[in-house]
Amino acid sequence: MSAVISINNIRRVFVMGEQQFEALKGVSFDVNKGEFVAIMGASGSGKSTCMNIIGCLDPPTSGQYFLDGLDVGSMNGDQLADIRNKKLGFVFQGFNLLARTAAVENVELPLIYAGINSKERRSRAMAVLEEVGLKGKEFNHSSQLSGGQQQRVAIARALVNNPSLLLADEPTGNLDSSTTEEIMNLFTALNHAGITIIMVTHEHDVASFATRQITFRDGYIISDNKSSNKERKA
Amino acid sequence: MDFIQTIKISLRALRTNKMRSFLTMLGIIIGIAAVIAMMAVGSGASYVISQQIASIGSNIILVIPGATTSSGLRTGGGAHTLTSDDAKAIMSECPSVSMASGTVRSSGQAVYGNLNWSTLIMGGTPELFEIREWPVISGRSISQQDVDSASKVCILGLTVVENLFGSADPVGKVIRIKKIPFTVIGVLERKGQSPQGTDQDDTVFVPLRTAQRSLARENHTNNIAAILVQAKSEKLLTDAEEEINSLLKQRHRITGSKESDFTTRNLSEILAVAEKSAQAMSLLLGAVASISLIVGGIGIMNIMLVSVTERTREIGIRMAIGARKNDILMQFMTEAVILTLIGGLLGIAIGSVGATIVSKILSWPTLISIQSISVAFFFSGAIGIFFGLYPAKKAAALNPIDALRYE
Ligand SMILES: Nc1ncnc2c1ncn2[C@@H]1O[C@H](COP(=O)(O)OP(=O)(O)OP(=O)(O)O)[C@@H](O)[C@H]1O
Ligand SMILES: [Mg+2]
């Protein structure tokens, strides 16, 4: 099995004036193609920090990160931007949708920077919105959508460019149990279709959809379990 | 990212802050309006001046009676100190002079049939029409023989023809000037307005001696009102003026500190003064334009910096989903350039209206050329690029994760 992600002894130190805070204290793991990983751990344990590094948004203070065998640390800003645009889909913990902008236009954004023409952008964005169950809400602005609906717009935006790796930071944090299940079924289907998924969650129920659970505590990994197919929820 | 998309995003951003966008544009609007007005007034003025030079004739010196103080004030104006012989002497004795003509002028009624018309009546010699480059379009001009024999003939300006004859041909007809019958021998080409704004075609010309004998009020039959002199070339204008001065001083026996009883005026100098004041006006408008363009540009920069700060999260989101630094740079540059271009277009419109009003007031033609409009347009775009660059660079230099976290 080829490792899509290989991180080796990653540290991330935040400097705030005189103070320093080490959010990641040497984290190493590999993720293979086709895996569905859930990252768990208490609040403040470094999950989002780790996701931002994997998502090529934030550079580690030290350590190596290889994505598809390429050394991310040696890439320039434009190469990172292209990876974020074409290879990765990122669902942020706080949605991060553009205000005063229709759902469909938010979803189209990655396609704009991928240089896809407006007609194709629109049809692809509409299709993904339907996939995440937002048919009929395409032209609502973010402020005219519920938290769960905004979360789904964010998921649609992450999926619209057909990424091979989906990174989701608490994608079900704002959803009720039945919508959570719908989203998890969508993730499972995407995973079956070959997309590698890394997802942060607090809920064991949600984590049990994944094929592997990594648990963080205080900037370290304290456990890394691959669940058998039997344990996995259908 | 394609350009049309960049423009769409920029327009949307500007629309969300309509009032602010407009206020930001004001400096550019005023500056570009001033640029347009400046160019229109400047080129209008130089057009008018060149027209006037052409209408007076080239290389002209005017000799008038009375002294002029150093401050330009005339004293003893209207004194009868110049004579036809002075004019003849200037023509024959000044080497830099090619021609000279004594002139007299009075106003009076010209009558034909039951129509009458108040007009300017000028007496002159044949040289007058050569100096002023003013040919007849029908009939013939005044000849030396007409002058010598003081014959009762006249040639008419077109305004007089129109008022007395309508569309009929006046040549050969007899009109009465101050009750004396004159035969019309020719009609002059249209000349238009003089530098002072009078209609030059509203004139009847008669031979100089005829005017001196028959039309002058008093018995100064050899006196003339002015001498019109043409120098041989533009270079010889000052030489000619000096020669005239020394010749006339000698003839009028003016020596040492005795005040002159005549004044010479170089007409191209008068026009140069007019040109200078037009230039000063252009310069003033140019100063207004450049100051307000700089201030406007700084305003654009300021607002763009505010906009970058306000939209830090948006920038972060765009970067996080794949916008390159250049995409962000282009987006903010485009915004700045669109602002200045719209401002520029409004400025062009306002400037054109303003220039038209100014030209109406000064009765100058408005010359708003395609060149001045395109210069103004590209200039406003250049201001957008220049003052938009720093804020756009600042936006593009943001780090995606910091931008996303920005509160
Ligand atoms: N930019 C930053 N500057 C300083 N400290 C930071 C910064 N980002 C994160 N931290 C600190 O790093 C630690 C880990 O933060 P992180 O966001 O990764 O937590 P998390 O595991 O995602 O928590 P949660 O489950 O609440 O989302 C926290 O203690 C946080 O205060
Ligand atoms: Mg987090």
Side-chain angles (χ1 to χ4, degrees), chain B residues 45-374:
Chain B
S46 58
Y47 173 80
V48 167
I49 287 161
S50 67
Q51 283 296 99
Q52 290 178 346
I53 288 173
S55 88
I56 292 170
S58 43
N59 313 326
I60 302 235
I61 297 164
L62 189 66
V63 186
I64 46 177
T68 307
T69 62
S70 54
S71 59
L73 218 71
R74 260 180 81 195
T75 56
H80 301 280
T81 56
L82 293 172
T83 65
S84 309
D85 298 329
D86 288 333
K88 279 186 195 132
I90 288 169
M91 191 151 150
S92 56
E93 284 171 42
C94 297
S96 304
V97 168
S98 64
M99 276 179 283
S101 167
T103 61
V104 295
R105 49 192 293 151
S106 66
S107 55
Q109 292 253 323
V111 183
Y112 178 70
N114 55 2
L115 295 171
N116 65 70
W117 184 248
S118 264
T119 184
L120 173 69
I121 297 144
M122 278 197 80
T125 62
E127 291 86 5
L128 178 64
F129 304 94
E130 282 182 63
I131 293 169
R132 299 205 52 192
E133 290 160 19
W134 203 354
V136 291
I137 48 169
S138 77
R140 63 172 182 87
S141 190
I142 289 170
S143 70
Q144 190 57 47
Q145 207 196 326
D146 294 329
V147 177
D148 292 342
S149 60
S151 50
K152 302 227 170 22
V153 295
C154 66
I155 54 179
L156 307 180
L158 273 170
T159 305
V160 180
V161 173
E162 280 152 16
N163 283 287
L164 287 182
F165 294 91
S167 54
D169 181 12
V171 176
K173 304 279 174 8
V174 175
I175 64 170
R176 286 169 174 276
I177 302 167
K178 292 187 175 174
K179 302 203 176 85
I180 302 160
F182 282 81
T183 308
V184 179
I185 55 169
V187 176
L188 289 161
E189 193 182 75
R190 189 176 296 285
K191 197 75 167 171
Q193 282 205 343
S194 75
Q196 289 78 31
T198 55
D199 178 7
Q200 300 182 85
D201 298 308
D202 191 3
T203 313
V204 173
F205 286 94
V206 299
L208 179 63
R209 188 166 294 170
T210 318
Q212 286 169 328
R213 290 199 181 157
S214 316
L215 302 174
R217 268 167 294 159
E218 298 142 60
N219 260 347
H220 302 289
T221 50
N222 205 24
N223 285 339
I224 52 178
I227 305 170
L228 206 59
V229 183
Q230 183 173 46
K232 280 185 173 143
S233 73
E234 204 184 324
K235 277 193 197 126
L236 291 173
L237 262 174
T238 33
D239 288 356
E241 210 173 338
E242 277 165 23
E243 289 162 15
I244 294 165
N245 264 308
S246 59
L247 176 72
L248 289 186
K249 274 186 178 164
Q250 187 194 324
R251 286 176 60 88
H252 295 190
R253 304 193 195 335
I254 295 161
T255 48
S257 60
K258 207 174 150 200
E259 197 178 55
S260 277
D261 59 357
F262 66 92
T263 302
T264 56
R265 275 204 187 154
N266 181 335
L267 283 201
S268 33
E269 270 167 19
I270 295 170
L271 287 172
V273 170
E275 201 151 15
K276 276 226 179 70
S277 61
Q279 274 170 0
M281 180 113 170
S282 292
L283 218 68
L284 183 76
L285 282 166
V288 170
S290 40
I291 289 168
S292 64
L293 285 178
I294 289 170
V295 171
I298 292 169
I300 298 257
M301 178 139 93
N302 185 34
I303 279 301
M304 292 310 294
L305 285 171
V306 170
S307 177
V308 168
T309 311
E310 275 180 355
R311 285 151 69 195
T312 301
R313 266 177 81 84
E314 177 197 324
I315 296 165
I317 292 168
R318 290 181 184 277
M319 286 178 155
I321 53 143
R324 291 170 163 217
K325 282 190 185 312
N326 214 31
D327 294 328
I328 302 296
L329 185 88
M330 281 304 289
Q331 186 187 324
F332 281 90
M333 287 292 279
T334 309
E335 245 179 81
V337 171
I338 287 177
L339 262 182
T340 54
L341 283 185
I342 295 174
L345 287 176
L346 289 175
I348 287 169
I350 291 169
S352 307
V353 171
T356 313
I357 291 169
V358 167
S359 78
K360 282 266 153 63
I361 292 168
L362 300 178
S363 63
W364 280 350
T366 335
L367 291 180
I368 298 162
S369 59
I370 297 294
Q371 286 104 298
S372 67
I373 287 175
S374 37

Side-chain angles (χ1 to χ4, degrees), chain A:
Chain A
M1 281 254 237
S2 57
V4 181
I5 287 169
S6 173
I7 61 177
N8 188 11
N9 200 22
I10 291 277
R11 288 167 182 279
R12 181 65 171 99
V13 180
F14 292 111
V15 183
M16 296 157 291
E18 300 281 282
Q19 285 183 314
Q20 289 202 345
F21 182 82
E22 194 167 11
L24 294 176
K25 298 168 178 165
V27 170
S28 307
F29 63 90
D30 286 5
V31 175
N32 289 326
K33 194 170 172 0
E35 274 194 291
F36 186 173
V37 181
I39 294 180
M40 304 192 63
S43 182
S45 56
K47 307 182 296 292
S48 291
T49 306
C50 187
M51 287 294 267
N52 289 338
I53 290 171
I54 296 172
C56 299
L57 288 166
D58 195 27
T61 309
S62 69
Q64 280 111 40
Y65 170 24
F66 291 92
L67 180 66
D68 279 336
L70 301 170
D71 182 6
V72 173
S74 68
M75 291 182 186
N76 67 28
D78 284 352
Q79 289 170 312
L80 293 174
D82 287 352
I83 286 183
R84 290 197 292 267
N85 186 243
K86 305 217 165 65
K87 240 183 220 176
L88 305 178
F90 205 115
V91 183
F92 297 94
Q93 193 167 4
F95 317 138
N96 277 333
L97 300 177
L98 289 187
R100 291 183 296 272
T101 305
V104 67
E105 288 175 295
N106 264 295
V107 177
E108 280 179 17
L109 271 187
L111 301 176
I112 289 176
Y113 295 108
I116 286 162
N117 71 50
S118 61
K119 225 171 134 191
E120 193 185 337
R121 280 204 307 261
R122 189 46 58 100
S123 68
R124 273 169 68 175
M126 297 295 262
V128 188
L129 279 170
E130 192 173 347
E131 225 178 305
V132 299
L134 278 181
K135 200 169 164 57
K137 299 285 182 191
E138 293 92 342
F139 296 99
N140 287 33
H141 287 190
S142 312
S143 57
Q144 301 161 335
L145 292 168
S146 72
Q149 286 167 336
Q150 290 183 46
Q151 185 75 295
R152 283 191 265 181
V153 175
I155 292 169
R157 187 177 65 190
L159 291 175
V160 75
N161 226 356
N162 298 324
S164 56
L165 179 60
L166 180 64
L167 304 171
D169 197 349
E170 305 212 29
T172 60
N174 301 281
L175 305 182
D176 61 57
S177 56
S178 76
T179 348
T180 299
E181 184 134 350
E182 271 175 44
I183 294 292
M184 281 307 109
N185 287 333
L186 174 65
F187 275 31
T188 309
L190 290 166
N191 182 235
H192 284 312
I195 298 179
T196 310
I197 300 176
I198 303 176
M199 162 183 86
V200 172
T201 182
H202 280 116
E203 297 160 69
H204 284 278
D205 268 6
V206 174
S208 63
F209 281 88
T211 56
R212 177 180 172 190
Q213 286 87 25
I214 297 175
T215 308
F216 278 59
R217 182 188 291 161
D218 297 335
Y220 294 108
I221 291 178
I222 52 160
S223 76
D224 187 347
N225 302 315
K226 291 193 189 179
S227 47
S228 73
N229 280 339
K230 264 176 274 165
E231 278 176 72
R232 192 172 162 180
K233 277 202 177 179

